[in-house]
Amino acid sequence: MLSSNPDFVPRIGTVLEVLSILGIFVFAASGALAAARLRQTIVTFAFFALVTGVGGGTVRDLLIGSPVFWVHDAAPAITCMVAALLVWITPRSFWSDHALDWLDAVGLAAFAVFGAAKALNFGVPPFVAGMMGVVTGCVGGIMRDLLAGEPSILLRPELYVTAAAVSSGSFVLLRWWGIDVPVASVIAALLGFVLRALAIRRGLGLPVYRGIRPE
Amino acid sequence: MLSSNPDFVPRIGTVLEVLSILGIFVFAASGALAAARLRQTIVTFAFFALVTGVGGGTVRDLLIGSPVFWVHDAAPAITCMVAALLVWITPRSFWSDHALDWLDAVGLAAFAVFGAAKALNFGVPPFVAGMMGVVTGCVGGIMRDLLAGEPSILLRPELYVTAAAVSSGSFVLLRWWGIDVPVASVIAALLGFVLRALAIRRGLGLPVYRGIRPE
Amino acid sequence: MLSSNPDFVPRIGTVLEVLSILGIFVFAASGALAAARLRQTIVTFAFFALVTGVGGGTVRDLLIGSPVFWVHDAAPAITCMVAALLVWITPRSFWSDHALDWLDAVGLAAFAVFGAAKALNFGVPPFVAGMMGVVTGCVGGIMRDLLAGEPSILLRPELYVTAAAVSSGSFVLLRWWGIDVPVASVIAALLGFVLRALAIRRGLGLPVYRGIRPE
């Protein structure tokens, strides 16, 4: 029903492309940082950076049937290598203990918006496009945590998937209301980021399920 | 050689579609239940339900080169959301400690049959179509356990992959013998489910490898 | 720029096909061996063998947009089944404690070369084709370790991803220098294997990151 609005489907514009490169860079850096915590080598830094940086977008592209964005264009892969090198050569003091969380928060918001936009662009129904943003935003971080053998960021007490859902869902809604792509992108990304920031700083969370005692 | 039978390739019919929706629903519920055990929020319930509910079919579709079934049709995703909500709002007593195992068993049998049928439909050789059913049936549960950080259901002592192989393999064989799709589907799904039920209730298992001592 | 050489793009030839089947066989055996360490059944052996044996090539094919190689041709899947059966029936003494490492090393080198070659064949830019070899070579082992719940081979102190990068990168370079596919394949695979062998035997590693103390 939402697609009755003729101007609803966004074209990928400058703001979205900046969001995408930004998301790749910060997720890649968060991947390299996870490798740093594990005292790995520069090559493993690069591998973690690549998987974390392009993992979310790769799954999105496979799901919506688009050619995988980084395979025929070397720019995203090079972005990941630069992020890995930067984490490798910068002094330790440059990266606080919570740097991973903050980079992840930026990537989450940026990818959630970009994922929803690209899915809408491919004719995916709005409800599913919103989910596509969530899956896209969360998959990079999940892969990083799986590779690193760390407890998944999904399972921390503060809200995480919810922030992606807010960015992704609000982008779809703003587009439905006829808001321009650049404005909708920035508002939606900020909403998700602020929510995740509150979660990181103040432990903000949704009510958790209390019906079943953990075993 | 098997494809010489002109009537061999099944058309996806009513019984198979019911099996598919049933499989999605019960796997989604098992995903939500895993989120419940981890005391997560409603949004994480929905994420776990989505990944578990459509994960197996997604991998099958990517492997056989079909468009991913839930991306251009919102019904499966909505089914997952309904399952998540149901687990969230129903009282604890509604879900026994073993509910996860039983839901998983139904989903395993249903997906194994549906996966094999869809693969045959796409012209995949019978031997590989049987494997496709196994992979499809097992991937949802594996993803759920990986996300939840739980020991994989694959590694429990009772048989699991075997039940999927029985459903999937017997469907391919029954079709080869010329049995109609609805009858073959129901028989094959029941065979796998009964085997898995025996595994859950009586610890039924195949002989395990004894040549190498665990480290 | 590298593609200006008209003879640069390799055709998949005999040597590469042998490397591919060898890689599938040894990775499948390493998967079955992981199942053996977990005292699993023959069916789980087969599942682990399949996922480990074809996992890397599957991800490569999905990324470059090729039909998944083992879905319409039963030979690779049968190779995996044979490997699983062989591990199941051979006496324990046949497989030393480090057999997994050595099989994995052969598979890593073979898949890294084959992955890079197939990617070049599909018109992927050389820089990305090199990465495709790395991802392809490493994904089978990663999936095996994730399924088995073992610490990822990625995170061991000796170099691992680096060996894949050397095989994959040197193949791309050798092809760029105009070396024939069979010669380039063998040299590149040997370089990576020797490096990984030194890592296994002597603990060879690159310098690790020391800027951040592990938590």
Side-chain angles (χ1 to χ4, degrees):
Chain A
M1 64 275 183
L2 295 186
S3 56
S4 57
N5 185 331
D7 205 31
F8 177 62
V9 173
R11 264 146 297 281
I12 305 292
T14 315
V15 173
L16 279 174
E17 269 171 22
V18 169
L19 274 185
S20 170
I21 288 288
L22 188 71
I24 292 167
F25 183 83
V26 294
F27 265 129
S30 85
L33 215 49
R37 281 142 76 130
L38 293 161
R39 307 179 75 95
Q40 293 292 310
T41 70
I42 179 66
V43 179
T44 310
F45 271 56
F47 188 79
F48 270 69
L50 182 71
V51 172
T52 316
V54 303
T58 300
V59 171
R60 176 202 59 224
D61 285 348
L62 291 175
L63 289 176
I64 64 177
S66 159
V68 177
F69 73 103
W70 61 280
V71 170
H72 292 276
D73 168 18
I78 291 170
T79 303
C80 292
M81 300 301 101
V82 170
L85 203 63
L86 216 70
V87 172
W88 180 265
I89 61 176
T90 46
R92 176 190 167 178
S93 56
F94 193 79
W95 305 97
S96 79
D97 283 354
H98 291 294
L100 185 81
D101 282 341
W102 287 101
L103 290 177
D104 193 280
V106 175
L108 184 72
F111 270 177
V113 170
F114 188 80
K118 189 164 181 183
L120 286 177
N121 238 22
F122 260 71
V124 173
F127 182 72
V128 179
M131 290 184 153
M132 213 57 72
V134 176
V135 171
T136 311
C138 295
V139 163
I142 292 172
M143 285 185 174
R144 178 196 62 221
D145 294 341
L146 278 178
L147 283 181
E150 291 181 356
S152 175
I153 199 164
L154 280 182
L155 304 180
R156 305 223 191 134
E158 342 89 48
L159 54 82
Y160 184 81
V161 185
T162 310
V166 163
S167 273
S168 180
S170 61
F171 180 78
V172 173
L173 279 178
L174 289 168
R175 287 297 301 145
W176 186 43
W177 292 338
I179 311 291
D180 279 350
V181 172
V183 180
S185 307
V186 170
I187 294 176
L190 277 178
L191 280 177
F193 177 76
V194 166
L195 202 61
R196 178 72 188 134
L198 288 172
I200 295 173
R201 291 296 292 273
R202 320 215 164 188
L204 180 68
L206 289 181
V208 297
Y209 185 72
R210 304 210 175 274
I212 296 181
R213 236 165 272 271
E215 286 155 38
Chain B
M1 64 277 187
L2 295 188
S3 55
S4 56
N5 186 331
D7 204 33
F8 178 61
V9 173
R11 265 146 299 280
I12 305 291
T14 315
V15 173
L16 280 174
E17 269 171 22
V18 169
L19 274 185
S20 169
I21 287 290
L22 188 70
I24 292 167
F25 183 82
V26 293
F27 265 130
S30 85
L33 215 47
R37 281 141 76 131
L38 293 161
R39 307 179 76 92
Q40 294 293 309
T41 69
I42 178 66
V43 179
T44 311
F45 270 57
F47 188 80
F48 270 68
L50 182 70
V51 172
T52 314
V54 301
T58 300
V59 170
R60 175 202 61 225
D61 285 348
L62 291 175
L63 289 175
I64 66 178
S66 158
V68 177
F69 71 104
W70 60 282
V71 170
H72 293 276
D73 168 19
I78 290 170
T79 303
C80 293
M81 299 302 100
V82 170
L85 202 63
L86 217 69
V87 173
W88 179 266
I89 61 176
T90 46
R92 176 190 167 178
S93 57
F94 193 79
W95 306 98
S96 79
D97 283 354
H98 291 294
L100 186 80
D101 282 343
W102 287 102
L103 290 178
D104 193 279
V106 175
L108 184 72
F111 271 177
V113 170
F114 188 80
K118 188 163 181 184
L120 286 176
N121 237 23
F122 260 72
V124 172
F127 182 72
V128 179
M131 289 185 154
M132 212 58 70
V134 176
V135 171
T136 311
C138 296
V139 163
I142 292 172
M143 285 184 174
R144 177 196 62 221
D145 294 340
L146 279 178
L147 282 181
E150 292 181 354
S152 175
I153 199 163
L154 280 183
L155 304 180
R156 305 224 190 134
E158 342 89 50
L159 55 79
Y160 184 82
V161 185
T162 310
V166 163
S167 273
S168 178
S170 60
F171 179 78
V172 173
L173 279 177
L174 289 169
R175 287 297 301 146
W176 186 42
W177 291 338
I179 313 291
D180 279 350
V181 172
V183 179
S185 306
V186 170
I187 294 176
L190 277 178
L191 280 177
F193 177 75
V194 166
L195 202 61
R196 180 69 190 135
L198 287 173
I200 294 174
R201 291 296 292 273
R202 322 218 162 185
L204 180 69
L206 290 180
V208 298
Y209 186 72
R210 304 211 174 272
I212 297 182
R213 236 166 271 273
E215 284 156 38
Chain C
M1 62 282 186
L2 295 186
S3 56
S4 57
N5 186 330
D7 205 32
F8 176 61
V9 174
R11 265 146 298 281
I12 305 291
T14 315
V15 173
L16 279 175
E17 270 172 21
V18 170
L19 274 185
S20 170
I21 287 290
L22 188 70
I24 292 167
F25 183 82
V26 293
F27 264 129
S30 85
L33 215 48
R37 280 142 76 132
L38 293 161
R39 307 178 76 93
Q40 294 293 308
T41 70
I42 179 65
V43 178
T44 311
F45 271 56
F47 188 79
F48 270 69
L50 181 71
V51 172
T52 316
V54 303
T58 300
V59 171
R60 175 203 61 225
D61 286 348
L62 291 176
L63 289 175
I64 66 177
S66 159
V68 177
F69 72 103
W70 62 280
V71 171
H72 293 276
D73 167 19
I78 290 169
T79 303
C80 293
M81 298 302 100
V82 170
L85 202 63
L86 217 70
V87 172
W88 178 265
I89 62 176
T90 47
R92 176 189 166 177
S93 56
F94 193 79
W95 306 97
S96 80
D97 284 353
H98 291 294
L100 185 80
D101 282 343
W102 287 101
L103 290 178
D104 192 279
V106 174
L108 185 72
F111 271 176
V113 170
F114 188 80
K118 187 162 183 185
L120 285 176
N121 238 23
F122 260 73
V124 172
F127 181 73
V128 178
M131 289 183 154
M132 212 58 72
V134 175
V135 171
T136 310
C138 296
V139 164
I142 292 172
M143 285 183 173
R144 178 197 61 222
D145 294 341
L146 279 177
L147 283 182
E150 292 181 355
S152 176
I153 199 164
L154 280 182
L155 304 181
R156 306 223 190 135
E158 345 88 48
L159 53 80
Y160 184 82
V161 185
T162 310
V166 163
S167 273
S168 179
S170 60
F171 179 78
V172 173
L173 278 177
L174 289 168
R175 287 296 301 145
W176 186 42
W177 291 338
I179 312 292
D180 280 350
V181 171
V183 180
S185 306
V186 171
I187 294 176
L190 277 178
L191 280 178
F193 177 75
V194 167
L195 202 61
R196 180 70 190 136
L198 287 173
I200 294 173
R201 292 298 291 272
R202 321 218 161 185
L204 181 69
L206 290 181
V208 298
Y209 185 72
R210 305 212 173 273
I212 296 182
R213 236 167 272 272
E215 283 157 40

